[in-house]
Amino acid sequence: MRVLFVGDVVGRPGRSAVRALLPGLRSGLGVDLAILNGENAAGGAGLTAEIAHELHAAGADVVTNGNHVWDQRQFVKEIDGLDFCVRPLNLPRGVPGRGWVIARDVLVVNAIGRTFMAPADDPFRAIDALLEELGTAAPRVRVLDWHAEATSEKVAMGWHLDGRFSAVLGSHTHVATADARVLPRGTALVTDTGMVGPRDSVLGMDPSIIVERFTTGMPRRFEVASGPVVFNSVLVDLDDATGTARSIERVDRLWEGG
Ligand code: FE2
C-alpha cells in the first residue's frame, strides 16, 4: 500500500495547488490513501467544513489538524459532522472531534507536541494509551501526523513508535526536512513534510509583514503570500501484512498557477 502525506496547506494558494496537483499525483504514484494537513487551509489559520469538503473532493481521504484547529470558531461546531477529519488526540478530554480515524483499513492519528507550543496532554502517553485501548482491533497500517515544533521531540516520537507505527510524519513548521528514512523496526520517519503554500514567503505568509514584525516588534496581521506555490509531500510504501514501511521518499513540486 502507498500512502501520500501532504504537508500543511496554506490558504487559498495552497488549496489551489492541491486541486491542481493531487489528482495527478494520486494516479501517477499509485496512491492508495492520501492524508493532508489542513490546519492552515482557511485564510492561513484554521479550517472550516466547507474547505475540508473541498480538500476531500480534491483527493484527500483524511484531513488532519494541529494547534490551529479552533482558529475558525465555526469549526468547533462543524468538526463532529466530518468523519474524515481528525484533530490532535492529546487535547483536553471532552473537546469536539476525534483524534484518530480508520480509513481504508489504515489507522490515522493526529497529535501535537509540547515543546515550544501551547500546553497539551502528553502525546507519547496518549498514543500508547490509544494503542492499548484499540488492542488487536487496530489495523496493522498506522500513520501519525505528528504536529510539533522541536526537531528533537519529533525525532524522539519516531523512535518511541518504531515498530508500532508504520509512519511518523512531521508537520507544523512548514519547512521540509531532508531526513526521511525508515527506522530499524520499520517505521518511516520525517521530521517535517513541509507545506503547500507560497514559495516567496515566511512559512506561507507575506514576507514584508513578518520582517516588519521582527524589525519593529509591532503587531501586524498576517496575510497569506502570493506567487508560485511549493507542494511538499512524502510517499510511504508499506507492507500491508506487517504494517512496516519499505521506503519513504519526498515528493516535492512547484506549482506556478493555472
Ligand atoms: Fe501548526
Side-chain angles (χ1 to χ4, degrees), residues 191-228:
T191 299
D192 208 292
T193 308
M195 70 169 175
V196 181
R199 177 192 61 186
D200 298 332
S201 71
V202 177
L203 315 185
M205 298 297 149
D206 184 327
S208 65
I209 294 172
I210 308 297
V211 170
E212 191 184 307
R213 283 175 59 114
F214 276 108
T215 54
T216 66
M218 299 300 288
R220 260 194 81 181
R221 189 182 282 271
F222 290 179
E223 275 172 40
V224 176
S226 54

Side-chain angles (χ1 to χ4, degrees), residues 22-252:
L22 186 56
L25 287 173
R26 282 198 71 123
S27 53
L29 300 171
V31 171
D32 301 295
L33 182 81
I35 306 165
L36 174 154
N37 185 292
E39 75 141 6
N40 301 115
L47 188 59
T48 64
E50 187 183 349
I51 288 172
H53 281 297
E54 177 190 332
L55 296 167
H56 194 46
D61 299 297
V62 178
V63 176
T64 56
N65 276 278
N67 52 309
H68 291 293
V69 59
W70 310 130
D71 281 12
Q72 303 288 331
R73 290 180 63 99
Q74 68 198 77
F75 199 59
V76 175
K77 291 208 172 76
E78 293 172 337
I79 191 168
D80 279 323
L82 302 165
D83 60 4
F84 58 91
C85 273
V86 286
R87 48 90 177 141
L89 177 72
N90 53 322
L91 295 182
R93 200 174 279 272
V95 303
R98 71 216 82 197
W100 57 276
V101 70
I102 295 172
R104 303 199 184 177
D105 215 21
V106 175
L107 174 68
V108 181
V109 184
N110 190 193
I112 44 172
R114 295 188 297 179
T115 307
F116 312 132
M117 296 183 83
D121 290 351
D122 180 342
F124 295 84
R125 197 170 295 183
I127 295 166
D128 289 348
L130 174 65
L131 289 178
E132 200 168 309
E133 174 193 328
L134 292 175
T136 52
R140 299 304 291 258
V141 179
R142 304 165 189 169
V143 178
L144 174 66
D145 171 354
W146 178 214
H147 197 83
E149 181 78 34
T151 51
S152 57
E153 189 180 18
K154 296 173 92 169
V155 174
M157 183 64 87
W159 288 101
H160 182 64
L161 295 178
D162 188 19
R164 298 193 291 151
F165 260 68
S166 312
V168 173
L169 307 172
S171 63
H172 177 66
T173 72
H174 296 201
V175 178
T177 59
D179 62 337
R181 61 168 290 201
V182 178
L183 296 176
R185 294 193 173 126
T187 298
L189 171 69
V190 66
T191 299
D192 208 292
T193 308
M195 70 169 175
V196 181
R199 177 192 61 186
D200 298 332
S201 71
V202 177
L203 315 185
M205 298 297 149
D206 184 327
S208 65
I209 294 172
I210 308 297
V211 170
E212 191 184 307
R213 283 175 59 114
F214 276 108
T215 54
T216 66
M218 299 300 288
R220 260 194 81 181
R221 189 182 282 271
F222 290 179
E223 275 172 40
V224 176
S226 54
V229 176
V230 292
F231 182 104
N232 297 138
S233 63
V234 290
L235 180 68
V236 184
D237 187 46
L238 303 152
D239 181 332
D240 305 27
T242 62
T244 55
R246 293 192 197 96
S247 67
I248 174 169
E249 57 180 282
R250 298 206 55 87
V251 177
D252 299 313

